[in-house]
Amino acid sequence: MQIFSKGVNALRRTILMMAIALMLSGCNVIQPIDELMKPPKLTDEQAEIYSALEQAAGSRNIAFKYPQSGEYRSAFTFANIDSDAESEAVVFYEDTVTKSTTRMCVLDKQDGQWQAAANTAGAGTEVEFIDFNKTDTGGASNLIVGWNIPNRTGGILSVYSFNGGRIDETYSDSYSEFTMFDINSDNKQELIILSSNSVQRKTDIKIVATSRNNMELAAQTEIDRNIVEFVSIKKGLLGDNTPAVFVDGYTDDGSLTTEVFTYHNNKLSVVTQQYFINADRDSKILCDDINGDGKIEIPVTSILPGYGNVQEGEVLYLTEYKSFDGSGFNTVLTAVINENDGYLVKMPQRWVGKVTVVNHMETGEWRFYKFNRSLEDQSVELLRIRKYSKNDYQDKFEQENYITIGTKGTTEYKAYIIEQKNEPLAISQKELEAMFQII
């Protein structure tokens, strides 16, 4: 409540300052502060739903609870969650006086009028997301809600069904990460949940599938216990077109790693363990469809030539993106990645093991050299790449030999290809244009 009060006072001060500024500028269109602070006016349908909500709550002291993430962020979410042809409205709210548990109300239109059909207490005080999952019956959908509880790691995921004016919780579990995906190609969306147990210090990945219109746990397996923090969970295809879930997370030694899971015949398989790929890396690069082929690749890193004895934090890496072809992981792209400046340079095969990169600290410029025993030997320079802002002053003499190889917004990427006659490692402008990629 104190935070809200501070926010209101700050807003009032801001509006007052704006009003004074407008008066000083000679404008005469100032509205009263209270008028400026009024919330957006509800549509007629929303006003009708709000009136029905007040009746169901037995109070006029209602504050909406908005989902914090996901596709549905409105106070009013419309979806067909029963088997009729009409959409219902789902609203989350709390009583601002009693500050009781956040509640969820489902409203249905009957005889042309919105009425509260079901009202239930939520599993948390804040709504993280809301989503829907089709059932086997007509156009009905299960309602999926992610709840947050203050001072608690992770949240509660609840699945609800709505039928005959009754809302029932058909599945509930703790979750750290969640996505929805047809992982076994049965034309149904399964729920993929990462569920952590702080007491046992482990995390399971769970598949929750539709069974007789309800959601039930279909399979689960433990995730690598070395992973202590999850960064992302992606759904996509392996190189052999098998649907899979890709989980990126930090291990207890601070490195990033990836585990890949497939689901077939009610069994979860850990592909990265079965085929012995070591995806641990010191960079912060996540798995991704790096080459635009519709498949997700896993980054595997190794130290660039010359960095074997360099202190941690200053090491630069070669990254190989691996794709699973059904029998193992193969490299589909090799690159050096500048995470700070947002680009990568694909390494020609003739460069791998023979070319290294040095970060020019004063300018942030990356310089590519033919490697000869140590980083100090910079006698054969091949390439320079630097990021510029169009808004900054640019010295034309300094950029005399540079060409623009990419732009993104106000950012320009420029390169200087150093001519090296009779050097097999030298590249052309056309080759560089194919090598460079903004990420």
Side-chain angles (χ1 to χ4, degrees):
M1 195 68 181
Q2 184 66 27
I3 294 175
F4 177 77
S5 298
K6 287 182 179 178
V8 171
N9 290 336
L11 180 59
R12 285 181 180 273
R13 286 196 299 271
T14 301
I15 295 174
L16 183 59
M17 292 174 67
M18 292 170 61
I20 293 170
L22 285 168
M23 284 189 290
L24 291 175
S25 67
C27 298
N28 57 2
V29 293
I30 305 302
Q31 291 178 273
I33 290 176
D34 287 338
E35 184 69 26
L36 289 170
M37 292 181 65
K38 287 182 179 178
K41 186 177 180 181
L42 298 176
T43 66
D44 290 342
E45 185 172 45
Q46 289 174 339
E48 187 180 330
I49 294 172
Y50 186 72
S51 177
L53 179 63
E54 286 182 327
Q55 293 181 25
S59 171
R60 299 179 65 88
N61 303 305
I62 290 176
F64 294 128
K65 290 285 191 174
Y66 294 82
Q68 300 301 302
S69 63
E71 181 180 351
Y72 306 96
R73 305 277 187 101
S74 172
F76 303 84
T77 303
F78 296 90
N80 183 14
I81 58 175
D82 60 13
S83 54
D84 66 13
E86 302 292 332
S87 290
E88 287 70 45
V90 180
V91 183
F92 300 93
Y93 71 95
E94 73 171 358
D95 189 307
T96 58
V97 175
T98 64
K99 288 293 182 181
S100 57
T101 305
T102 296
R103 299 190 67 86
M104 178 176 68
C105 187
V106 177
L107 300 101
D108 205 356
K109 207 166 191 178
Q110 300 177 8
D111 299 325
Q113 297 293 319
W114 282 100
Q115 298 180 19
N119 196 327
T120 187
T125 56
E126 300 296 333
V127 182
E128 178 61 32
F129 71 87
I130 177 174
D131 213 330
F132 303 92
N133 182 280
K134 290 287 186 183
T135 68
D136 294 331
T137 304
S141 294
N142 287 306
L143 171 62
I144 305 165
V145 182
W147 301 96
N148 282 338
I149 302 173
N151 303 318
R152 171 174 170 164
T153 303
I156 301 294
L157 185 140
S158 299
V159 180
Y160 301 93
S161 65
F162 176 70
N163 212 336
R166 176 188 173 96
I167 189 162
D168 295 307
E169 185 181 60
T170 60
Y171 184 84
S172 179
D173 206 343
S174 62
Y175 82 100
S176 303
E177 299 285 342
F178 161 82
T179 190
M180 201 157 48
F181 180 45
D182 181 10
I183 192 173
N184 59 348
S185 303
D186 64 350
N187 297 317
K188 298 177 185 178
Q189 297 279 309
E190 285 76 39
L191 311 188
I192 293 96
I193 302 170
L194 301 191
S195 180
S196 298
N197 187 316
S198 58
V199 176
Q200 298 180 9
R201 302 183 71 176
K202 74 185 186 85
T203 299
D204 288 341
I205 180 170
K206 300 178 180 181
I207 304 296
V208 179
T210 303
S211 176
R212 298 180 299 277
N213 294 329
N214 290 325
M215 302 300 291
E216 297 180 355
L217 180 63
Q220 73 180 82
T221 192
E222 186 177 341
I223 292 179
D224 183 355
R225 288 201 178 203
N226 290 321
I227 300 177
V228 295
E229 180 185 350
F230 295 100
V231 180
S232 77
I233 176 171
K234 287 189 176 77
K235 51 192 178 183
L237 298 175
L238 291 170
D240 65 348
N241 291 314
T242 300
V245 174
F246 303 77
V247 178
D248 285 315
Y250 286 108
T251 63
D252 49 12
D253 67 357
S255 61
L256 192 65
T257 193
T258 302
E259 285 212 306
V260 181
F261 302 88
T262 58
Y263 175 64
H264 184 66
N265 291 334
N266 297 325
K267 181 182 178 182
L268 266 168
S269 299
V270 190
V271 179
T272 38
Q273 291 181 11
Q274 286 182 336
Y275 292 89
F276 307 107
I277 180 174
N278 182 7
D280 293 358
R281 50 197 182 273
D282 291 320
S283 68
K284 295 180 175 60
I285 303 165
L286 304 179
C287 61
D288 202 0
D289 176 12
I290 195 65
N291 57 358
D293 64 352
K295 318 294 172 55
I296 294 183
E297 290 83 32
I298 300 173
V300 176
T301 60
S302 58
I303 296 173
L304 277 172
Y307 284 92
N309 296 317
V310 176
Q311 67 182 27
E312 189 176 346
E314 297 181 3
V315 177
L316 296 183
Y317 295 91
L318 181 76
T319 300
E320 295 179 86
Y321 280 91
K322 304 280 188 176
S323 180
F324 184 74
D325 64 3
S327 59
F329 285 88
N330 297 310
T331 301
V332 296
L333 185 146
T334 303
V336 288
I337 302 176
N338 190 322
E339 298 175 59
N340 292 329
D341 289 352
Y343 68 85
L344 65 78
V345 178
K346 302 169 191 174
M347 299 282 277
Q349 188 58 43
R350 70 181 188 277
W351 272 22
V352 177
K354 297 178 181 179
V355 171
T356 194
V357 182
V358 174
N359 182 16
H360 195 260
M361 301 301 292
E362 294 179 3
T363 62
E365 183 174 72
W366 269 21
R367 298 181 178 180
F368 295 70
Y369 298 96
K370 178 180 181 179
F371 181 70
N372 186 18
R373 296 185 181 180
S374 74
L375 295 176
E376 283 69 36
D377 186 342
Q378 300 178 0
S379 57
V380 183
E381 187 176 2
L382 303 167
L383 174 68
R384 298 181 183 184
I385 297 179
R386 191 191 299 189
K387 182 180 79 170
Y388 291 88
S389 171
K390 294 179 182 179
N391 299 326
D392 294 340
Y393 168 76
Q394 298 183 22
D395 189 329
K396 291 184 178 179
F397 293 102
E398 182 184 83
Q399 300 179 29
E400 184 176 357
N401 295 310
Y402 285 75
I403 57 172
T404 299
I405 55 173
T407 59
K408 184 178 182 180
T410 60
T411 299
E412 285 186 319
Y413 296 93
K414 296 190 176 185
Y416 172 26
I417 302 172
I418 292 85
E419 184 178 356
Q420 297 285 357
K421 293 182 179 180
N422 302 318
E423 172 54 63
L425 297 177
I427 60 170
S428 65
Q429 180 177 338
K430 183 177 181 181
E431 193 171 8
L432 175 60
E433 289 170 353
M435 293 162 57
F436 182 82
Q437 179 178 325
I438 299 173
I439 56 174

